[in-house]
Amino acid sequence: MTRVPDSLSQLREGGKAALARAISAVETHADSDDLLRFLDVATRSGRAQVLGLTGPPGVGKSTLTNALIRAYRARGETVGVLAVDPSSQVTGGALLGDRTRLSTDPGDPGIFVRSMAARDRLGGLSDHAIAAVVLMRAVMDRVIVESVGIGQSESDVAHAVDTLVLCIQPGSGDSLQFMKAGVMELPDLVAVTKADMGAMARRAQADVAGALSLARPADSARLPDVLTVSATSGEGLEALVGACDTFGAAARSSGRGDARRAVQERHWVDDAILRRFGRIGHSVCDVAAAVSGADGPFSAIAALDRSLRVRLGLIAPG
Ligand SMILES: Nc1nc2c(ncn2[C@@H]2O[C@H](COP(=O)(O)OP(=O)(O)OP(=O)(O)O)[C@@H](O)[C@H]2O)c(=O)[nH]1
Ligand SMILES: [Mg+2]
């Protein structure tokens, strides 16, 4: 059986192997009380900024992830990557290797990469994926979540990251499609990829900026920056790294970052109960009380889950 780490410092000292074991523990015995307690502690000690890269298939997320890993490693920071793959829901994970296309050095102790199926919904983040993000952000200096998705499913990754970057490809007409799907509401930054395509990338940048101002008319003072970046030539990469740093620093100093994490944790609990018990089950729960009475979101989910099962007569009380 995969053991739950005894403490956060043990996990931090144990390096990549310990992190891999902890994530396996989540997958094999997610409901153990020790593990839930540990995940709650990790939730409270998440130091890393979590960057989400989302966008349609082939837009260049993995290539950009590689470039970002290099940039962060050059600054001496450790990086954890979670690649979430919706297709594995159908294929059982067979495409994961294709999807991530990450060319990292397996010998580098400062890079930890994990691929995971989005079990629950197309493009969605599973409970396991959220737990993996929580563990990684407690251990590494940086976390990047790569997630394929168009439309509502993208909002799932938004619930586990501190900075959400929507990737859009030049000449794809994606910006209009995203606007229709309501996705323009979500990103903190937009990256037009493949900037080495020149004029096409600049046109896409203008299109996206226009689509954002239409999608968020009341919010125009805080529209996300739209940057162009080429992961292959490196053009615009420094500016993107800088924009993510600036966004993260502002969120930290204003308290917006902590407030966002609190909203996310509440959402994890609501979402877990909704998915397990549906709207009626959720409606008979006092989620707010469970969250404030628990040490963290993971034990709140477990407590609500147990009490609903008791009420449904599925398990005995006590
Ligand atoms: N010209 C150019 N091509 C790029 C760039 N970045 C990625 N590509 C190419 O775009 C294709 C898709 O890149 P990926 O990084 O695998 O895209 P992805 O978004 O991770 O794709 P999925 O994981 O399948 O959704 C590959 O053929 C890359 O070589 C870039 O900056 N410039
Ligand atoms: Mg990819």
Side-chain angles (χ1 to χ4, degrees), residues 44-56:
R44 298 276 161 270
S45 344
R47 307 171 298 184
Q49 279 286 306
V50 183
L51 178 68
L53 292 183
T54 185

Side-chain angles (χ1 to χ4, degrees), residues 182-198:
V183 171
M184 284 300 186
E185 310 284 323
L186 297 170
D188 302 303
L189 290 166
V190 179
V192 174
T193 55
K194 310 188 187 181
D196 48 283
M197 291 167 88

